[in-house]
Amino acid sequence: MPDAHTTDLPQPRPAIGKLPPYVPGARGAADAPPPVKLSSNESPHGPLPSVVDVLETAATGVHRYPDMAATGLTERIAQEIGRDASEVVVGGGSVAVLAHILQAYTGPGDEVMFAWRSFEAYPILARIAGAEPVMVPLTDEARHDLPAMIAAVTDSTRVVMLCSPNNPTGPILTQAEVDAFMAAVPSRVLVVLDEAYLEYVRDPEVADGPASLDRYPNLLLLRTFSKAYGLAGLRVGYAVGPAALLAPVRACVTPFSVSGPAQAAAIASLDARDELLERAAGVVAERDRVLTALRADGWSIPESQGNFVWLGVGDATADLVAHLGAVQPAILVRPFMGEGVRVTIGAPDENDALLARLATWDGPR
C-alpha cells in the first residue's frame, strides 16, 4: 500500500503552474446593499420575453441530452451571416470555442500572439493548450500595434489573436488595418478575429469580418451570445470560417457542451435580432453619453466601440477601485492593477451613479 506521505504523486504539466488567474468581475459582499455592478461587460437587459418563453419550454426537456452538434443553431447562425453550416462551429461560450481552436492548432513549442493588454483569457488558454503566449504591447492610444505584431512573428507562431473592439480598452481594428496585417502575416499562421462586441460598434471603418473571410483563407471569426444578446449565463459562442479550418476545431468540441435550453434561446434571440439590436443601440447611446461626460470632466479615454470604457489610471488603479466602492451602494468595476479600470456601461441610473462618484475622484484622469 502506498505511503500516504509520499511526494511521488501525480503532477500537473509545468505549464499549468504558470497559468495567470482569470479574475471574474466583482459581485459585491453578501452583507452589503446590492452594488452597482459594472464589472463584467454584461448586458443591462435580461433576455427578451419571447426568449424567456422559449427557455421555459425548453427547460422541460433537460432530462434529455441536447443535440450534440447543435445542428439547428449552427444552421440558424449560418443563415444569419450568409455562410454554409460547415463554416460555423458552436461551443460553450466564445472562450470555450477559442480553447478548441488552440487545441486544434497549437501545442508545445508553438506561439500564440496577441496584443496586451487584451482579453485576459488569451494567455490562459494558450498555456492550457501547451503553447507559449506572446504579448505585444498596445500603442499609447490603447490600440493594437499591428506593425509590431508582424515584426514579432517567428517560425513558431501558429495563431494570432486580434480583438476588435479590444477588451478592455475599446478601440476597433479598421478594415484597412486588417487588410494590411493579413497581407503581411504568413498564410500558415491562423488569425482569429474576436468580435465579441460587434453589435455595439458604430465606427464605419471597422473591419468587416464576413467579407474578410472571402479574401483570407487563414482567418476565423469568433463571436458570442453573451453580450448584446443577453445570454451570458447560458454560455453560447461560435466561430465562423473556412470549413477546412473548422473541421479540426469541431473535432475538439466537448460533446454536449451547449445545453438544449441554451441552443433554443440562441435561436430565439436570432429570430428577435432586430429587437435586440434596438437594445444595443440604447447601450451605445449611454456609452456615448458617459464618454462625453467623462471627457468634459477631464478624463482621457480611448475611443471605445464596446459596451465599456477604459480609465487608464495606471498606478492609481487600486485607489480608484477603493474610491468607487467606499460609499454604498458600491460601484463595482474591473481593475487591472497598475494599468487601469474597465467600466461596463449599465442602465442610465447606474451610469449616473458612476459619473457622480467619478466626479469626486481627485486622482489622475
Side-chain angles (χ1 to χ4, degrees):
M1 187 171 181
D3 183 351
H5 300 288
T6 182
T7 57
D8 188 19
L9 294 173
Q11 298 295 311
R13 290 187 292 118
I16 303 304
K18 299 179 181 178
L19 292 180
Y22 185 100
V23 181
R27 292 188 173 275
D31 58 350
V36 177
K37 187 173 184 291
L38 305 178
S39 55
S40 295
N41 285 356
E42 299 154 326
S43 170
H45 308 290
L48 292 169
S50 59
V51 176
V52 173
D53 290 343
V54 168
L55 274 170
E56 290 176 348
T57 300
T60 64
V62 295
H63 60 301
R64 305 291 188 187
Y65 284 106
D67 174 6
M68 190 176 82
T71 305
L73 176 55
T74 299
E75 292 175 348
R76 184 64 183 82
I77 292 170
Q79 174 189 354
E80 188 71 30
I81 58 179
R83 315 298 296 193
D84 188 81
S86 64
E87 299 175 289
V88 177
V89 168
V90 174
S94 61
V95 172
V97 177
L98 177 56
H100 301 321
I101 291 171
L102 297 182
Q103 288 164 355
Y105 284 96
T106 70
D110 295 334
E111 294 177 350
V112 177
M113 184 191 301
F114 43 88
W116 199 252
R117 172 151 313 258
S118 193
F119 183 33
E120 62 189 300
Y122 295 161
I124 298 172
L125 297 179
R127 288 201 183 278
I128 289 174
E132 187 69 22
V134 176
M135 306 176 185
V136 179
L138 298 170
T139 69
D140 291 341
E141 292 76 36
R143 296 175 54 82
H144 283 53
D145 190 339
L146 293 179
M149 293 178 74
I150 288 294
V153 171
T154 71
D155 290 342
S156 298
T157 306
R158 292 293 176 267
V159 176
V160 175
M161 297 298 308
L162 302 177
C163 190
S164 177
N166 186 53
N167 173 21
T169 60
I172 59 154
L173 291 168
T174 69
Q175 187 65 58
E177 289 173 324
V178 170
D179 287 340
F181 183 83
M182 295 303 296
V185 74
S187 59
R188 62 171 179 78
V189 174
L190 178 63
V191 179
V192 181
L193 178 59
D194 188 343
E195 298 182 311
Y197 302 91
L198 176 69
E199 292 82 4
Y200 301 112
V201 175
R202 295 297 180 270
D203 190 330
E205 300 300 316
V206 69
D208 184 330
S212 298
L213 288 177
D214 293 330
R215 295 197 291 272
Y216 307 116
N218 57 327
L219 177 68
L220 294 179
L221 309 181
L222 192 63
R223 295 182 174 181
T224 184
F225 285 89
S226 294
K227 310 303 180 185
Y229 287 87
L231 301 181
L234 289 180
R235 313 308 305 131
V236 188
Y238 61 98
V240 187
L245 286 185
L246 285 181
V249 179
R250 186 174 288 105
C252 294
V253 173
T254 305
F256 307 112
S257 58
V258 182
S259 72
Q263 294 180 38
I267 292 172
S269 296
L270 287 172
D271 291 343
R273 189 170 185 270
D274 289 345
E275 190 175 356
L276 283 163
L277 290 181
E278 288 181 11
R279 287 183 167 188
V283 173
V284 169
E286 278 296 292
R287 176 191 72 201
D288 293 346
R289 180 176 76 89
V290 169
L291 279 171
T292 298
L294 290 176
R295 287 170 174 158
D297 200 29
W299 288 86
S300 177
I301 302 176
E303 187 56 46
S304 178
Q305 290 288 310
N307 67 334
F308 53 88
V309 296
W310 174 250
L311 308 178
V313 294
D315 291 339
T317 295
D319 291 338
L320 177 56
V321 172
H323 175 78
L324 291 172
V327 178
Q328 299 298 331
I331 298 176
L332 305 182
V333 295
R334 177 63 177 89
F336 298 86
M337 291 304 176
E339 298 175 67
V341 170
R342 187 195 69 198
V343 184
T344 304
I345 299 299
D349 61 323
E350 294 175 323
N351 300 328
D352 288 342
L354 169 73
L355 291 171
R357 196 75 55 86
L358 286 175
T360 64
W361 166 250
D362 59 5
R365 301 188 180 194

